[in-house]
Amino acid sequence: MLRSDPIAIDTPSDTPSNFWEGYTRETTPSTARHRTLTVEEYEVHRERDPKSVANLPPSSYLSVFFSAVEQNRLDLAESVVVDILDRYEGQNSSRCKMLEQILAKEVWPLERGTILRVLQHLNDSSRPNLESLLTHHDGNIARKMLHHAEIFDTDRPFLRLFYPPLLKRLGTIQSPKKFKIATFQPPHLIYVSFSAIHKLISMSFNEHALNIFQILVDTGYVSLEALHNVDNSSGNASLIISMVVIRSCLHWNYRALAASLITELITANPTDKAIIGLNIDIIHSLLISHPTTRDVATSGHLIRRIHPHSPVPDSIIRLFYNSAVAAGAKEEAEDLYSFTREDKVRDTHRYPPPPDVALPWLMKHFATASSHTHLSRTLATEAVDDNLWIPTPFRAQFIANTAALGYATHARALWERHVMGRDGAVVAGNSALMIRMVSLFWNMHRTNFEKASALEAEEEQRPEVQKKITKYRKASEDAAALAERVRHAFVFHHAPLENAQHWDLTSLARACFIVGKLSEGYEALRYLFKRKESPDLYDCNVALSAVSQLNPRLAAKMIEKMTTIGLQPDSVSFGTVLHYAVMQGEREVVDIMIERIRELGNKDVSTKTLANLIRSSLTLGEENGSLETLQHTLANIMHLIKSFPELNLSPQPYIGKALVYAAIRTRDGAMAYNFWKLLLKKAAQWGDKEQVDLRHGIARLIQQPSFPLREHRKAMLVQLGLWKSMRRERNAPTT
């Protein structure tokens, strides 16, 4: 439920001068012997015997109440008020003073029912301060009782108490026309008056609502613009008043209240064109001027509410995405994008994708933080198929994120499209993009090469096998050619290399090491040595990737040496050494690296560090190793994950997906299942086609006759959600 923004105003000057007198401590002969209790003491006494808190001095009740609120122990604060109402045995005047002080200062922690009981008691006691409490002090009581648009059981009895003093107080408020300042802020009573009108109309007290409305019109707090712009064709007076009130809320910048009230109107009148138009105006108001994350979330909610009855203008959707960027509302943008890409929504209207900078901004969120990776694939597909414009400064980043997610076809299409033309240099010369592309496509080259080699090793070469070999060979050669094309385009852009930037040379060296061009990688680093430039962390990691291939123990010593010159090894450093240590059977080095990781930051490594470490190890394993080596790498990664059970990688399912695919490639069903259960089960979209295919791939391995854990087979298939379907397949008649 939406909540309105609080408005801070000064305490009204017409508050009675004696309002605060006598509230903090009452010292009579009968209470002087008591000392003020602490929160803990009060709670202990109350639990032992509720009657033991019936005769405390007012200072104890008040001290415990305000301390409980400060400590966010709201249940106890509520109990104190109930004790004052039901158990306090002192004079009623003392009880009323305590209740008045609580209502004046801390009404928000209390439940509506409790507040109503307090007000009714004060009314029954004929307390002169009740009217002042209801209509002053920033309107805390009325805002608490009325700020939700939905109707509560407490609304009718509260409005009976509130209505008379509200009318009386509204008659004394000056018209806004008398204030010439542009920043004029209406008194709090205007906000609660709008809420009261809505509540009264909802409960069919139309005459009472009209009385308040008329005063607001006469005093100018219902704007002329709202009166003139309302659609009165319906002839429904209550509906017309409600729409005028909502437009007046927009006029006074009560945007959250307007959104809350329009939600109720949409529910009651979903097809009314005037209400739909008003809803669009509210969304525009929420988004157009300095939107907050809450404003973006509220507008997204209204968009989803109104779509079934009328498509929202595309201009509003584009404004939503741009406002989400301004407010940093990533999850809210993801929610709307997900909604607009649902089949039932696209069947009725095709909403636009995020425009301008919102496009790479959302893709970066998908690539680095979102658990809904299927949305990133949808966005990448739109970028390719619809030729979406990507702002030049963010073009390389968008393609790099696409490649990082493993969408090779999309990444290739985008790279080839944007590497040509006037702005091609921003793509061809970007070091981060070059590394991502070379890594992705060289991995594809090796994977397809190994598939072809495995088939060639088979004794029987049937025609269909030959076709597969040809297919894999061609895919391998094509991927290798693109990796080299990307690398050569980067070299061409930065030539002559002796003048290239430091980070460009180290990126080139790393790319050379990935594709096995060690001499070219050393040559790129030699330019740095000739210039006598001091190495940074990235330089050391590039050097580690070369040294680790030859001697993992020496590379481990290099990591120790890095710390002595002030460089803190990162996940890439550890991942590089770990990978080659596994390849060469250096288990002692693996254990040393894990121990060093634990020492990072004096405690445990962060989830992000572990995720980067896993990603680095997997990338190296896929780039430079055989299937057997990849299996060792996966075992090492599983060891890493189990070494840090306190860290949760579920919010990063793209890592889990990559690990499961790698395990399937090695034909290790148990490993694939364990990665899926640890990293994907709770985070992935079960209905997503890719996730369904992934689970079926695991299930096929589990059902192999050679699967070693036969006694766990059924339980695994049940967890995968495939036991029944697989059983039907086994029992299906064959023809």
Side-chain angles (χ1 to χ4, degrees):
M1 183 58 63
L2 303 173
R3 293 180 61 182
S4 57
D5 297 320
I7 304 169
I9 64 172
D10 294 331
T11 302
S13 58
D14 55 350
T15 301
S17 60
N18 65 344
F19 188 78
W20 298 100
E21 291 181 5
Y23 288 166
T24 55
R25 180 180 294 272
E26 181 177 319
T27 53
T28 66
S30 62
T31 59
R33 65 180 181 275
H34 295 286
R35 65 179 179 83
T36 300
L37 297 179
T38 65
V39 170
E40 291 74 18
E41 289 172 336
Y42 186 93
E43 195 168 28
V44 169
H45 282 296
R46 194 175 190 274
E47 288 180 358
R48 288 177 180 173
D49 180 9
K51 294 182 180 180
S52 66
V53 296
N55 198 27
L56 299 176
S59 58
S60 282
Y61 289 110
L62 294 174
S63 175
V64 171
F65 174 82
F66 290 117
S67 296
V69 171
E70 185 178 348
Q71 297 172 25
N72 201 34
R73 300 180 64 181
L74 304 186
D75 289 343
L76 179 60
E78 189 91 19
S79 298
V80 173
V81 177
V82 172
D83 288 343
I84 295 173
L85 283 167
D86 297 339
R87 294 195 173 96
Y88 179 63
E89 296 178 354
Q91 296 180 351
N92 188 53
S93 60
S94 298
R95 174 189 286 109
C96 290
K97 286 182 179 181
M98 287 188 285
L99 295 174
E100 286 169 343
Q101 182 169 355
I102 288 171
L103 288 186
K105 287 187 175 182
E106 293 288 357
V107 70
W108 286 103
L110 299 178
E111 297 291 337
R112 286 184 179 82
T114 303
I115 296 173
L116 180 62
R117 285 193 62 202
V118 171
L119 293 172
Q120 289 172 331
H121 181 83
L122 295 176
N123 184 59
D124 293 342
S125 302
S126 301
R127 296 295 293 181
N129 290 328
L130 178 59
E131 181 178 316
S132 180
L133 276 170
L134 285 169
T135 59
H136 293 302
H137 292 287
D138 298 339
N140 279 348
I141 297 174
R143 289 174 70 94
K144 169 71 176 185
M145 299 296 287
L146 300 176
H147 81 283
H148 282 299
E150 65 179 294
I151 303 301
F152 296 94
D153 293 339
T154 54
D155 288 337
R156 187 185 298 262
F158 172 75
L159 284 168
R160 285 200 190 100
L161 293 172
F162 183 53
Y163 178 75
L166 174 62
L167 281 184
K168 180 179 178 181
R169 183 76 175 108
L170 285 175
T172 66
I173 292 180
Q174 290 185 315
S175 170
K177 298 175 183 177
K178 296 184 179 181
F179 298 90
K180 302 300 182 183
I181 57 174
T183 58
F184 170 73
Q185 180 71 53
H188 70 86
L189 213 56
I190 302 306
Y191 183 101
V192 297
S193 295
F194 289 151
S195 295
I197 290 173
H198 164 74
K199 294 278 190 178
L200 289 166
I201 289 176
S202 299
M203 293 185 295
S204 299
F205 293 126
N206 296 338
E207 184 178 348
H208 296 77
L210 183 59
N211 290 338
I212 300 173
F213 180 78
Q214 189 62 57
I215 294 176
L216 295 178
V217 171
D218 294 342
T219 54
Y221 286 100
V222 168
S223 67
L224 292 176
E225 181 185 5
L227 286 168
H228 292 155
N229 290 342
V230 71
D231 184 343
N232 59 9
S233 60
S234 67
N236 185 331
S238 298
L239 181 59
I240 293 170
I241 290 175
S242 295
M243 290 194 291
V244 172
V245 165
I246 291 173
R247 288 200 178 276
S248 296
C249 287
L250 295 180
H251 177 80
W252 296 118
N253 203 33
Y254 299 153
R255 298 183 297 184
L257 178 59
S260 178
L261 299 183
I262 195 67
T263 300
E264 297 297 312
L265 281 189
I266 292 172
T267 302
N269 308 273
T271 60
D272 190 295
K273 292 183 179 180
I275 293 177
I276 291 173
L278 180 55
N279 186 87
I280 299 301
D281 290 344
I282 293 173
I283 295 171
H284 186 271
S285 175
L286 286 166
L287 298 174
I288 196 63
S289 178
H290 307 294
T292 63
T293 299
R294 178 182 172 186
D295 292 332
V296 175
T298 301
S299 62
H301 167 75
L302 293 177
I303 289 170
R304 291 189 288 274
R305 286 294 298 269
I306 201 174
H307 167 81
H309 313 295
S310 175
V312 177
D314 289 353
S315 59
I316 292 292
I317 300 298
R318 295 188 183 96
L319 176 61
F320 174 92
Y321 285 122
N322 289 331
S323 300
V325 173
K330 298 175 183 177
E331 288 77 14
E332 289 73 16
E334 176 183 321
D335 289 344
L336 185 74
Y337 183 76
S338 176
F339 171 76
T340 59
R341 268 51 191 173
E342 292 177 3
D343 291 340
K344 63 181 180 181
V345 174
R346 302 192 74 165
D347 288 344
T348 58
H349 187 78
R350 185 178 176 87
Y351 286 108
D356 303 324
V357 297
L359 179 64
W361 172 80
L362 188 58
M363 177 57 89
K364 183 179 179 181
H365 169 67
F366 287 152
T368 58
S370 174
S371 61
H372 303 127
T373 54
H374 65 289
L375 295 176
S376 62
R377 186 169 63 253
T378 302
L379 189 58
T381 301
E382 285 191 68
V384 173
D385 294 349
D386 299 337
N387 196 16
L388 299 182
W389 183 75
I390 307 171
T392 304
F394 304 98
R395 199 165 286 168
Q397 179 195 77
F398 186 94
I399 303 172
N401 285 328
T402 304
L405 288 163
Y407 306 145
T409 303
H410 302 82
R412 177 173 189 160
L414 291 170
W415 187 88
E416 290 179 336
R417 176 182 300 167
H418 294 293
V419 78
M420 308 298 294
R422 184 179 59 183
D423 298 321
V426 301
V427 171
N430 186 277
S431 57
L433 172 58
M434 185 271 295
I435 288 294
R436 286 290 188 192
M437 293 290 287
V438 169
S439 175
L440 174 62
F441 282 93
W442 196 255
N443 176 48
M444 289 179 62
H445 154 67
R446 294 189 63 87
T447 300
N448 284 285
F449 181 84
E450 289 169 355
K451 288 180 179 179
S453 299
L455 290 175
E456 287 175 339
E458 294 182 3
E459 294 182 2
E460 185 179 356
Q461 295 292 322
R462 299 184 303 275
E464 57 270 22
V465 174
Q466 284 293 339
K467 287 182 180 180
K468 286 185 178 180
I469 292 173
T470 302
K471 173 187 172 183
Y472 291 142
R473 286 291 183 195
K474 186 178 184 306
S476 174
E477 293 168 2
D478 188 51
L482 184 67
E484 286 294 86
R485 181 183 169 194
V486 171
R487 192 169 65 89
H488 289 150
F490 183 82
V491 171
F492 178 82
H493 173 75
H494 291 287
L497 292 180
E498 55 264 27
N499 297 330
Q501 294 289 337
H502 185 116
W503 56 85
D504 291 323
L505 288 172
T506 52
S507 296
L508 176 59
R510 182 181 172 190
C512 291
F513 294 148
I514 288 173
V515 301
K517 302 293 179 67
L518 299 184
S519 58
E520 292 184 31
Y522 293 134
E523 184 64 27
L525 293 177
R526 194 170 291 117
Y527 289 117
L528 297 179
F529 301 148
K530 287 180 180 179
R531 299 196 311 224
K532 298 182 179 179
E533 295 182 6
S534 300
D536 58 16
L537 179 59
Y538 189 89
D539 301 335
C540 290
N541 285 340
V542 171
L544 275 174
S545 67
V547 173
S548 297
Q549 297 182 53
L550 302 175
N551 191 334
R553 287 184 176 273
L554 179 59
K557 291 181 180 179
M558 283 182 61
I559 285 185
E560 299 297 330
K561 183 67 175 177
M562 287 166 64
T563 60
T564 64
I565 62 173
L567 292 176
Q568 183 65 44
D570 64 1
S571 59
V572 175
S573 314
F574 293 118
T576 301
V577 179
L578 274 169
H579 166 69
Y580 289 107
V582 170
M583 283 182 64
Q584 299 178 32
E586 295 281 1
R587 186 68 190 188
E588 183 180 350
V589 176
V590 171
D591 292 337
I592 290 173
M593 289 298 97
I594 291 176
E595 185 60 31
R596 284 291 290 117
I597 293 170
R598 279 214 170 274
E599 295 171 2
L600 190 63
N602 297 324
K603 283 192 177 182
D604 297 326
V605 296
S606 67
T607 300
K608 182 178 179 181
T609 301
L610 181 60
N612 289 335
L613 175 60
I614 291 171
R615 190 185 302 109
S616 301
S617 298
L618 181 61
T619 299
L620 289 169
E622 292 181 321
E623 286 170 354
N624 302 309
S626 63
L627 287 176
E628 183 180 357
T629 301
L630 179 57
Q631 197 165 22
H632 283 300
T633 300
L634 292 173
N636 183 55
I637 290 173
M638 181 62 75
H639 179 63
L640 277 176
I641 294 173
K642 291 182 177 180
S643 296
F644 300 97
E646 69 277 12
L647 299 182
N648 179 22
L649 290 169
S650 293
Q652 306 186 57
Y654 53 89
I655 293 177
K657 186 176 68 174
L659 290 170
V660 173
Y661 274 129
I664 290 175
R665 199 157 55 248
T666 64
R667 312 292 296 171
D668 191 334
M671 184 75 74
Y673 172 82
N674 286 330
F675 279 131
W676 173 84
K677 186 176 181 181
L678 281 171
L679 306 176
L680 288 180
K681 182 182 177 183
K682 295 181 180 179
Q685 295 290 311
W686 277 62
D688 178 58
K689 184 179 183 302
E690 184 180 23
Q691 294 296 331
V692 172
D693 292 342
L694 199 66
R695 296 201 305 276
H696 274 87
I698 299 170
R700 282 191 289 271
L701 292 176
I702 291 174
Q703 288 190 300
Q704 292 294 317
S706 58
F707 185 67
L709 304 174
R710 295 183 183 181
E711 66 275 17
H712 300 295
R713 181 179 287 159
K714 178 180 177 181
M716 290 179 169
L717 291 174
V718 169
Q719 290 290 313
L720 290 165
L722 298 174
W723 167 247
K724 291 183 179 179
S725 61
M726 289 293 180
R727 186 170 58 179
R728 283 196 298 269
E729 290 179 13
R730 288 195 304 270
N731 295 334
T734 58
T735 57

